[in-house]
Structures are given as C-alpha cells and as structure tokens.
Amino acid sequence: MTLARWLVVVYVSASLCAFIAYGWDKAAARAGKKRIPESFLHLLAVMGGWPGAWLAQQLFRHKTVKQPFRSIFWLTVLLNLAAVAGVLYWLAQGG
C-alpha cells in the first residue's frame, strides 16, 4: 500500500470514528446519559479524525461553543498536521 493510500485510509477511518463518537456524545448529552470523555474525542482528532470531528461539530452543533474544548481541538489539528508533515519530510529526505 502506498503512503498516500495509507493516509487516506487512516484519515477516513479515524474521521468516521470521530463523527460517530460526536453523534453518540450529542445524543447522550440530550438524554442525560453517560458522556464520552473529551480526552477521547481529542485523541480521535489527533489520530487523524479531526476532519470528521469538525464536520460532526458543525452538523450536530456539538462542542462548538465551549471555548476550552475548541482551543484544544484546534491544537490537536495542528499537532496532527505537523506530525504528518514531519513524516513526509523525513521520508522525502530518504528516511
């Protein structure tokens, strides 16, 4: 499997998981049931699920106002992109 295909598989899979997790958490919040820990939502984002997490935030109107969460979310996006850029740079250098 090529690196590009692997990255697509990782991002799509992680995004799908994140999207489902956000939907589940929103439903739990409305029903007053046990919630998914924010740290787990952030873990999904930093692992490449941030596109799905961002989409779910917009569609479900979930976690869009809570400022500490939003700041950490965007930090996870930056960390993920920096990690991918670092790996791509390392590979381009012959690593």
Side-chain angles (χ1 to χ4, degrees):
M1 182 180 294
T2 66
L3 176 63
R5 184 171 285 169
W6 185 82
L7 282 174
V8 168
V9 168
V10 167
Y11 272 81
V12 169
S13 300
S15 289
L16 182 60
C17 289
F19 188 87
I20 291 168
Y22 272 76
W24 187 290
D25 191 54
K26 179 67 174 194
R30 286 183 173 164
K33 295 187 177 181
K34 185 173 177 165
R35 306 280 304 278
I36 294 175
E38 289 184 354
S39 59
F40 184 74
L41 297 175
H42 290 312
L43 178 64
L44 290 172
V46 81
M47 290 175 54
W50 63 266
W54 180 82
L55 182 61
Q57 288 174 17
Q58 306 313 305
L59 289 175
F60 302 138
R61 300 274 194 250
H62 191 48
K63 302 289 189 183
T64 57
V65 176
K66 192 175 179 184
Q67 186 51 43
F69 184 89
R70 289 172 36 111
S71 297
I72 294 170
F73 171 76
W74 287 110
L75 179 61
T76 66
V77 172
L78 291 174
L79 288 172
N80 175 264
L81 293 176
V84 170
V87 168
L88 293 176
Y89 177 78
W90 178 71
L91 290 172
Q93 299 302 313

